[in-house]
Amino acid sequence: MTTSGTYAYNPSLGELVLYAYNVAGVRNTALAQEHMESARMAANLMLSRWSNQGVNLWAVDLITTPLLEGVTTYSVDGSTVMILDAYIETTSSGQPIDRIIMPVSRTEYASYPNKEQQGFPTVFWFDRLISPTVTVWPVPSADDTYTLKYYRVRQLQDSNFTSGQTVEVPYRWLEAFADGLAFRLAKIWNTQAAIGLKPIADESYAIAAAQDVENVAMYISPQVSGYFR
């Protein structure tokens, strides 16, 4: 058996768009500039939808923010979609020590009577504004040096045709991207085909999303005591 021995297949947005139009029943020779403009818009709107539908593991990274004494609210990069896990790093006997902190809602944060209370931060509130912020409580004190670290889901990078750019999706999501794009383009350029392409796009997305998880055991236990001091 002869195989390629390579693992480099990563078509450009332009190649995926041509394939998607073929699936939608639009031949390459019929494509004009307006077709490509629709494709770029549809591709980026679909990536926006994917950010809303769930956690894209390939878009998760770790952010580090030094905390300052008496400062409760900190700016968050505007590309942040959500914060998954957060913890505070301190230094004890020269060794970094991490302690998890828990998320709270706007309503719960509003219920705290003394929002300027200083101490070791134990909770955070992620305010999902256009320019998002994260607020920690209690407010960092001068007792130690605190660093906030959190895993966040960021938005996916823009999709453009310039210089053969590829789409920021992993190999296992390429079919979902192509099928989803075909359905969206058919809604514009071949409405009769769009009806049949919708279930295909949904199936491809469901298969990719089901695989895009961390394959680990899950443990559920009650929280019998508060994590405050």
Side-chain angles (χ1 to χ4, degrees), residues 151-195:
Y151 289 98
R152 57 105 186 232
V153 181
R154 59 166 175 78
Q155 71 181 63
L156 301 178
Q157 294 179 21
D158 302 339
S159 291
N160 296 300
F161 293 108
T162 308
S163 303
Q165 290 182 20
T166 56
V167 182
E168 195 198 7
V169 298
Y171 174 82
R172 63 185 182 272
W173 277 82
L174 287 176
E175 182 182 41
F177 183 89
D179 288 344
L181 186 58
F183 163 64
R184 285 163 173 77
L185 295 176
K187 289 195 302 180
I188 303 172
W189 301 102
N190 189 359
T191 54
Q192 290 183 336
I195 298 175

Side-chain angles (χ1 to χ4, degrees), residues 9 11-21 167 169 174 177-178 181:
Y9 181 71
S12 66
L13 174 62
E15 293 174 294
L16 290 169
V17 165
L18 293 179
Y19 173 77
Y21 269 123
V167 182
V169 298
L174 287 176
F177 183 89
L181 186 58

Side-chain angles (χ1 to χ4, degrees), residues 17-211:
V17 165
L18 293 179
Y19 173 77
Y21 269 123
N22 294 162
V23 173
V26 181
R27 301 183 62 179
N28 292 357
T29 54
L31 298 179
Q33 179 64 33
E34 57 185 342
H35 288 86
M36 307 312 286
E37 292 173 354
S38 296
R40 185 180 66 83
M41 179 67 74
N44 283 285
L45 289 177
M46 183 169 65
L47 294 180
S48 174
R49 165 76 71 89
W50 286 4
S51 293
N52 283 327
Q53 285 185 292
V55 175
N56 304 310
L57 291 184
W58 70 93
V60 176
D61 56 14
L62 179 64
I63 301 297
T64 299
T65 302
L67 300 183
L68 304 175
E69 178 188 355
V71 179
T72 182
T73 300
Y74 300 82
S75 297
V76 174
D77 189 285
S79 66
T80 302
V81 176
M82 68 180 73
I83 294 178
L84 301 176
D85 305 289
Y87 56 94
I88 298 293
E89 180 185 272
T90 59
T91 302
S92 177
S93 301
Q95 296 295 323
I97 301 297
D98 297 333
R99 299 182 65 177
I100 194 80
I101 61 175
M102 307 304 293
V104 296
S105 67
R106 181 196 312 108
T107 300
E108 186 171 357
Y109 179 75
S111 71
Y112 297 159
N114 183 5
K115 296 178 177 56
E116 301 302 320
Q117 176 182 331
Q118 294 194 7
F120 189 104
T122 57
V123 298
F124 71 94
W125 166 42
F126 177 44
D127 195 1
R128 301 180 72 178
L129 306 169
I130 294 178
S131 298
T133 61
V134 61
T135 299
V136 296
W137 188 88
V139 182
S141 65
D143 297 336
D144 206 338
T145 298
Y146 305 108
T147 301
L148 172 65
K149 295 187 175 183
Y150 56 88
Y151 289 98
R152 57 105 186 232
V153 181
R154 59 166 175 78
Q155 71 181 63
L156 301 178
Q157 294 179 21
D158 302 339
S159 291
N160 296 300
F161 293 108
T162 308
S163 303
Q165 290 182 20
T166 56
V167 182
E168 195 198 7
V169 298
Y171 174 82
R172 63 185 182 272
W173 277 82
L174 287 176
E175 182 182 41
F177 183 89
D179 288 344
L181 186 58
F183 163 64
R184 285 163 173 77
L185 295 176
K187 289 195 302 180
I188 303 172
W189 301 102
N190 189 359
T191 54
Q192 290 183 336
I195 298 175
L197 291 175
K198 180 63 163 63
I200 296 175
D202 289 344
E203 180 186 31
S204 295
Y205 178 86
I207 292 173
Q211 189 59 237

Side-chain angles (χ1 to χ4, degrees), residues 102 221-229:
M102 307 304 293
S221 60
Q223 185 177 358
V224 295
S225 62
Y227 192 81
F228 301 91
R229 71 172 191 177

